Amino acid sequence: MSQRNNVPVKLLPVLDRWDEQGKEYYLNPNNMFQYCHHKITYHGGQDIPLSGWFACNGNATEDYLLTKSDVEEIQWELLQFYETTRWTLLLDWHCNYQCSMCPYHGDGVIEKENYFEDRGGQKRVVPKEEAFDRIDRLAEYGIKTLSIMSSGEVLLYPYWSEVSSYAHTKGMELWTITNGSLWTEETVKAAVSLGYTNIRVSLDALTFDTYAQIRSNREEHYKRAMELPELLMKYGIITNVHFVKQKENLHEVEPFIAYWKERGVNSISIANEFCYDGEEVINKFAKSDKEYIQGLCTAFGNMQTVTDGNTECCCGTLARINGSGEKLENIGCKASIKEAIEAMRDENSELRKQCRQCALYVPYTDEEVVDGWRVSRNYERETWVKII
């Protein structure tokens, strides 16, 4: 009935229960579960991240397929062991752009509220001593990879170098997202010395005409942004170029992919545009008929602490977990994660309600290999990763 080769120890209680129930199921030697013609694979390390389960297209021809409740039972078992080695710190909010699709600064996304007026505590620059304190707590918890971020452009954070250096002395690898308009070769060299290993450049266009419509009409901004990915690769930084689909740039999606594939960036991501209508996050391009399966969203567990000190448990706009106002510096990383897990396990929690209506919820990802690139597609984005 069950093949237990390489079964993660933390999953054995589930299989024991199923055996006691006389349940028929299929588990192959690679720990491949089957559900609704999708393969659900366990990618386990020392810890079990919730997002360690993902789904991709496959020929599910086995006799014993998992039901929705089976998948959720697996996730419930794993949740109690959830830990993370990655964290995001948002430390500033200033930006030199006003892109319409931006949920923080754009005027075309927030249709029923102003983001920072509604969240005044996040409209602040985190003092470096406060940032150091948060980093100390993250290091004590065991965070190995830290994203130092802004709700705008990260280089406008006045303590970028000092805070990055401090995190790196704690043994953390760093990554960030930038619009690229302020970076020079000297900035890239500094980033390498500060411990940055991975940087995403948000471009959203290929030509200057399109860039001027949706990002900046200053040609020097466009030039620097377009030159940055190759500069990053020159100095050994893993480089992603990012494109948010909008009505003004849809004609450049395919040329954008072709252009950056030719230049050999590490990855290319093409995301759907989202907006927040005051009640829920809306995906302007994706289908809406997604099945909600507890625990399968890969966004959950991407812990981020915003400038006011509160922690969010995913990249969704609404997913604030400690609404009581308790801050990371007061309750620590472990308490924040514990609170998120308890909220996810509670069928009636506000977090679970938010998950069900959030357009960022991604239950399945389909994968294929195309010309030396691994291509993954889901409701939220399409990502091309170069196979080395």
Side-chain angles (χ1 to χ4, degrees):
M1 180 184 300
S2 93
Q3 303 177 45
R4 301 213 175 191
N5 300 339
N6 302 320
V7 174
V9 173
K10 293 172 183 177
L11 285 182
L12 291 178
V14 174
L15 302 187
D16 289 341
R17 288 196 298 270
W18 287 356
D19 285 342
E20 290 175 3
Q21 297 165 6
K23 178 179 176 57
E24 294 184 329
Y25 59 90
Y26 176 79
L27 175 65
N28 78 13
N30 295 319
N31 301 329
M32 186 75 77
F33 289 103
Q34 308 282 359
Y35 174 71
C36 287
H37 304 289
H38 289 269
K39 298 176 184 177
I40 300 176
T41 309
Y42 170 75
H43 295 271
Q46 182 177 358
D47 301 317
I48 297 182
L50 183 65
S51 58
W53 291 81
F54 77 100
C56 63
N57 269 347
N59 297 318
T61 58
E62 310 301 335
D63 293 333
Y64 309 117
L65 307 181
L66 295 183
T67 66
K68 177 177 180 291
S69 61
D70 294 336
V71 176
E72 291 187 331
E73 185 176 355
I74 292 168
Q75 295 296 354
W76 284 72
E77 189 70 34
L78 295 183
L79 262 177
Q80 63 184 311
F81 302 108
Y82 178 77
E83 295 182 19
T84 182
T85 59
R86 301 173 63 88
W87 206 281
T88 294
L89 281 183
L90 282 103
L91 300 173
D92 200 344
W93 65 279
H94 292 93
C95 194
N96 58 334
Y97 282 13
Q98 285 187 307
C99 307
S100 64
M101 77 294 187
C102 175
Y104 311 112
H105 299 276
D107 58 6
V109 172
I110 306 302
E111 298 174 353
K112 293 186 179 178
E113 69 166 339
N114 180 284
Y115 187 92
F116 288 113
E117 285 182 6
D118 187 58
R119 299 165 176 82
Q122 294 183 43
K123 194 174 183 179
R124 66 188 293 260
V125 176
V126 178
K128 60 183 175 182
E129 292 78 12
E130 191 174 321
F132 293 164
D133 179 63
R134 293 178 186 177
I135 290 169
D136 286 341
R137 294 174 185 277
L138 294 169
E140 182 180 353
Y141 178 75
I143 297 303
K144 303 299 183 186
T145 302
L146 183 67
S147 175
I148 292 180
M149 302 282 268
S150 168
S151 297
E153 168 52 39
V154 67
L155 285 191
L156 293 176
Y157 179 53
Y159 313 114
W160 175 71
S161 294
E162 297 100 312
V163 171
S164 298
S165 177
Y166 187 80
H168 190 43
T169 63
K170 297 291 182 177
M172 297 176 179
E173 289 190 355
L174 306 180
W175 74 279
T176 194
I177 299 173
T178 176
N179 63 35
S181 64
L182 303 177
W183 290 66
T184 65
E185 188 161 3
E186 292 306 311
T187 314
V188 174
K189 291 179 182 178
V192 172
S193 68
L194 293 170
Y196 283 88
T197 60
N198 193 311
I199 292 178
R200 168 176 292 170
V201 186
S202 294
L203 294 172
D204 303 331
L206 184 60
T207 66
F208 175 64
D209 286 346
T210 301
Y211 195 87
Q213 291 182 64
I214 59 178
R215 281 209 158 255
S216 171
N217 60 6
R218 294 177 59 177
E219 196 160 0
E220 64 268 30
H221 284 171
Y222 168 76
K223 186 173 183 293
R224 279 186 174 178
M226 290 295 289
E227 290 174 350
L228 180 56
E230 295 189 68
L231 269 179
L232 295 174
M233 289 188 289
K234 175 182 175 181
Y235 288 95
I237 294 178
I238 297 171
T239 304
N240 168 269
V241 290
H242 190 65
F243 187 107
V244 177
K245 290 190 293 186
Q246 301 155 68
K247 61 182 180 180
E248 296 87 354
N249 66 5
L250 285 177
H251 63 288
E252 290 193 357
V253 171
E254 295 305 322
F256 182 90
I257 294 172
Y259 180 88
W260 289 111
K261 282 175 63 179
E262 183 178 345
R263 278 149 184 80
V265 294
N266 299 97
S267 64
I268 304 162
S269 48
I270 310 295
N272 290 326
E273 182 182 3
F274 294 89
C275 67
Y276 175 55
D277 71 355
E279 296 179 358
E280 60 182 311
V281 182
I282 299 171
N283 186 328
K284 291 189 174 181
F285 290 87
K287 301 174 183 177
S288 59
D289 56 345
K290 294 178 291 186
E291 180 182 25
Y292 180 85
I293 303 178
Q294 146 72 22
L296 275 191
C297 183
T298 57
F300 180 80
N302 294 321
M303 309 296 289
Q304 59 178 13
T305 300
V306 296
T307 55
D308 63 6
N310 277 301
T311 295
E312 300 170 347
C313 63
C314 80
C315 51
T317 304
L318 295 174
R320 173 69 54 83
I321 53 173
N322 36 343
S324 61
E326 293 182 293
K327 311 297 183 185
L328 175 68
E329 45 266 40
N330 297 329
I331 63 176
C333 313
K334 189 172 184 178
S336 295
I337 294 174
K338 183 173 182 288
E339 185 177 352
I341 292 171
E342 288 176 351
M344 183 57 72
R345 287 175 62 90
D346 181 359
E347 179 69 27
N348 299 313
S349 71
E350 287 300 315
L351 179 60
R352 287 281 291 273
K353 294 175 185 177
Q354 292 169 13
C355 286
R356 282 189 172 86
Q357 68 182 13
C358 182
L360 294 174
Y361 172 69
V362 178
Y364 300 123
T365 297
D366 301 332
E367 286 195 350
E368 63 177 329
V369 174
V370 179
D371 299 329
W373 293 74
R374 180 174 290 106
V375 186
S376 60
R377 297 181 177 91
N378 57 43
Y379 291 97
E380 193 264 334
R381 72 180 57 197
E382 171 184 315
T383 303
W384 294 66
V385 178
K386 185 171 63 174
I387 300 173
I388 299 175

